[in-house]
Amino acid sequence: MAYDEGLAQRIRERLGADPAVTEKRMFGAVAFLYGGNMAVGVTGDDLMVRVGPDATGTAIARPGTRVFDMTGRPMRGWVVVDGAAVAEDDTLGAWLDEGCAFAAGLPPK
């Protein structure tokens, strides 16, 4: 599955100056890691965000958001945000900040 290169580029532009951020292609998607821990990614036209198990319920209540489920088993602590829901830079930035903040709180890899 290809991913939205335009969305990935917007993420690069927002996170690119941070030395803790690295990019990795995997499973037909692109992931952005913070301190070696996956924080956000792009799959298809959508944004994946690692919010953590405690924040999943709040995140799911936001517009255009659903539980991340690639294999028929929902992944705890992850949500998928519809690409249309992150069309505005401020909205995308809020999700990126949330994903990076969660990943930053994990032990570095």
Side-chain angles (χ1 to χ4, degrees), residues 4-40:
D4 182 340
E5 182 59 45
L7 178 55
Q9 185 58 36
R10 289 174 60 214
I11 294 169
R12 285 182 199 104
E13 290 169 4
R14 168 85 182 207
L15 300 180
D18 191 328
V21 175
T22 56
E23 181 177 335
K24 185 175 183 179
R25 286 177 172 68
M26 55 176 64
F27 309 114
V30 63
F32 295 86
L33 293 76
Y34 193 93
N37 294 295
M38 192 166 158
V40 298

Side-chain angles (χ1 to χ4, degrees), residues 21-107:
V21 175
T22 56
E23 181 177 335
K24 185 175 183 179
R25 286 177 172 68
M26 55 176 64
F27 309 114
V30 63
F32 295 86
L33 293 76
Y34 193 93
N37 294 295
M38 192 166 158
V40 298
V42 181
T43 181
D45 295 331
D46 300 328
L47 176 70
M48 302 177 291
V49 184
R50 189 174 191 179
V51 295
D54 294 340
T56 302
T58 303
I60 290 299
R62 291 160 67 181
T65 309
R66 65 186 184 277
V67 173
F68 181 43
D69 181 354
M70 273 182 94
T71 63
R73 289 181 47 197
M75 291 184 62
R76 291 191 57 201
W78 285 89
V79 296
V80 175
V81 185
D82 185 88
V86 292
E88 298 294 325
D89 288 340
D90 290 344
T91 305
L92 175 62
W95 281 113
L96 298 180
D97 291 347
E98 193 167 340
C100 288
F102 182 79
L106 298 171

